[in-house]
């Protein structure tokens, strides 16, 4: 099973993807987590990515695709994976389809989590206090939401056009949202 989870920053996609990984026994691949790992380890890639992430912009397609290619070739991804945070623009979407075709692992479904903007802002403010992510400050949050609207929303449109998109209401208790996602996968995966 290959799943893409799409949603704005603060939509809960990372938390829901982590639970899907545990219950479906497939890999959870978060490009944000991979990048934060590189930043923490101070690798050359991490040093390049850090400033871009702190500004709320997108790290270059080339860097992220290289990281993703390496990650999907690891053994735990052979039974499938949940992509969280990728693709984030139309070029990444095209690159993903080529990559998945090449490795013979086509996508089953893309899930779009809907959460109204005022709730996203409130959630991210809460997360800034709890986790201290350097990109959860108000100015960067505004920029990330802007990038989402401009660059990532068209990705959802693409998946809609190829009939691979399922939209899920991301408002409500965590367990309820999770149950909606599972139902969406059962019906469309
Ligand atoms: P969120 O969706 O809450 O913003 P992520 O952890 O998915 O959090 O992403 C954090 C940051 O990492 C992004 O703002 C961006 O700078 C970078 N990033 C993550 N995934 C990608 C990607 N696919 N392409 C480019 N940049 C990315």
């Amino acid at each position: 099973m290959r799943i893409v989870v799409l949603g704005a920053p603060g939509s809960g996609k990372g938390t829901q993807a982590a639970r899907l990984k545990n219950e479906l026994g497939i890999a959870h691949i978060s490009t944000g987590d991979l990048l934060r790992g590189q930043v923490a380890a101070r690798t050359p890639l991490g040093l390049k990515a850090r400033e871009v992430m702190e500004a709320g912009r997108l790290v270059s397609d080339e860097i992220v695709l290289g990281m993703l290619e390496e990650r999907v070739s690891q053994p735990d991804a052979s039974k499938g994976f949940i992509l969280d945070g990728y693709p984030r623009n139309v070029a990444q979407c095209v690159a993903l389809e080529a990559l998945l075709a090449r490795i013979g692992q086509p996508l089953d479904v893309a899930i779009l989590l809907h959460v109204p903007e005022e709730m996203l802002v409130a959630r991210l403010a809460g997360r800034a206090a709890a986790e201290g992510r350097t990109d959860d400050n108000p100015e960067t949050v505004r920029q990330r939401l802007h990038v989402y609207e401009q660059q990532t929303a068209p990705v959802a449109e693409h998946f809609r056009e190829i009939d691979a998109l399922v939209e899920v209401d991301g408002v409500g208790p965590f367990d309820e949202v999770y149950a909606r996602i599972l139902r969406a996968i059962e019906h469309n995966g």
Side-chain angles (χ1 to χ4, degrees), residues 2 27 38-39 59 73 94 167 180:
R2 271 84 48 191
Q38 298 281 337
V39 171
V59 175
S73 68
V94 172
E167 300 185 61
R180 287 177 203 145

Side-chain angles (χ1 to χ4, degrees), residues 9-188:
S11 61
K13 62 184 162 31
T15 324
Q16 296 291 352
R19 180 153 171 201
L20 281 172
K21 163 210 152 101
N22 291 331
E23 295 198 11
L24 302 179
I26 55 182
H28 173 199
I29 303 180
S30 156
T31 46
D33 285 349
L34 292 173
L35 287 166
R36 280 184 287 277
Q38 298 281 337
V39 171
R42 298 174 180 278
T43 63
L45 192 160
L47 294 174
K48 263 196 210 161
R50 202 184 96 178
E51 247 179 81
V52 180
M53 293 172 77
E54 284 181 358
R57 290 181 282 113
L58 294 185
V59 175
S60 87
D61 290 344
E62 196 189 338
I63 287 184
V64 182
L65 180 64
M67 232 175 41
L68 180 72
E69 278 182 312
E70 192 193 314
R71 183 64 187 86
V72 295
S73 68
Q74 286 167 21
D76 68 324
S78 65
K79 277 184 279 165
F81 42 79
I82 303 141
L83 288 182
D84 156 16
Y86 195 97
R88 242 177 163 91
N89 60 30
V90 171
Q92 292 185 6
C93 198
V94 172
L96 175 67
E97 282 173 346
L99 168 63
L100 297 186
R102 196 161 72 238
I103 64 174
Q105 293 233 50
L107 198 68
D108 293 293
V109 64
I111 292 165
L112 174 61
L113 276 180
H114 276 291
V115 175
E117 178 154 345
E118 61 276 14
M119 203 173 282
L120 297 171
V121 173
R123 283 186 186 177
L124 290 166
R127 189 168 81 184
E131 294 175 18
R133 244 175 73 172
T134 53
D135 62 350
D136 277 346
N137 65 80
E139 196 185 323
T140 306
V141 162
R142 257 198 311 279
Q143 174 64 17
R144 282 158 59 209
L145 290 170
H146 177 73
V147 167
Y148 178 79
E149 278 311 317
Q150 298 287 314
Q151 302 196 48
T152 313
V155 170
E157 286 313 308
H158 167 78
F159 286 125
R160 195 198 313 279
E161 276 164 23
I162 62 167
D163 246 3
L165 188 74
V166 182
E167 300 185 61
V168 171
D169 179 5
V171 179
F174 174 77
D175 287 346
E176 247 171 62
V177 175
Y178 184 72
R180 287 177 203 145
I181 293 175
L182 275 190
R183 278 199 298 275
I185 292 172
E186 276 159 19
H187 289 126
N188 298 278

